[in-house]
Amino acid sequence: MALMITDECINCDVCEPECPNQAISMGADFYQIDPGRCTECVGHFPEPQCVQVCPVECIPLHPQHVETREQLMHKYEQLQAGVTPA
């Protein structure tokens, strides 16, 4: 699954630089995660780095973007090859 940032986000700016896939950016009101780029840090780290640093714990799994670890690894490989995942 990709992750998502809820409206509980306080815009503290700690998650964006931690994302190895550049999946996090500022949205209209708070940060957002691009599910097409989010691999939950699979391929980079054992745990999602944004979740580890978030002080308000507002980064749950995205229920509309269910992916297996294998799918996340495939997305990671595509991103590393410079291919935009479908």
Side-chain angles (χ1 to χ4, degrees):
M1 294 181 137
L3 300 170
M4 62 183 276
I5 298 175
T6 68
D7 60 3
E8 295 170 351
C9 176
I10 59 172
N11 295 326
C12 67
D13 304 320
V14 298
C15 62
E16 183 182 23
E18 295 299 320
C19 181
N21 297 317
Q22 293 86 40
I24 301 174
S25 62
M26 178 53 82
D29 297 315
F30 51 89
Y31 280 92
Q32 60 188 12
I33 297 177
D34 177 354
R37 297 191 66 81
C38 179
T39 65
E40 295 179 45
C41 289
V42 167
H44 293 283
F45 302 102
E47 300 290 329
Q49 298 301 288
C50 59
V51 173
Q52 297 298 312
V53 299
C54 182
V56 294
E57 300 178 3
C58 68
I59 308 176
L61 293 171
H62 198 307
Q64 295 175 334
H65 294 280
V66 178
E67 296 170 289
T68 65
R69 184 163 179 80
E70 291 77 22
Q71 289 170 313
L72 292 169
M73 181 56 84
H74 180 69
K75 188 189 311 184
Y76 160 78
E77 291 166 352
Q78 286 184 305
L79 289 167
Q80 293 302 302
V83 177
T84 303

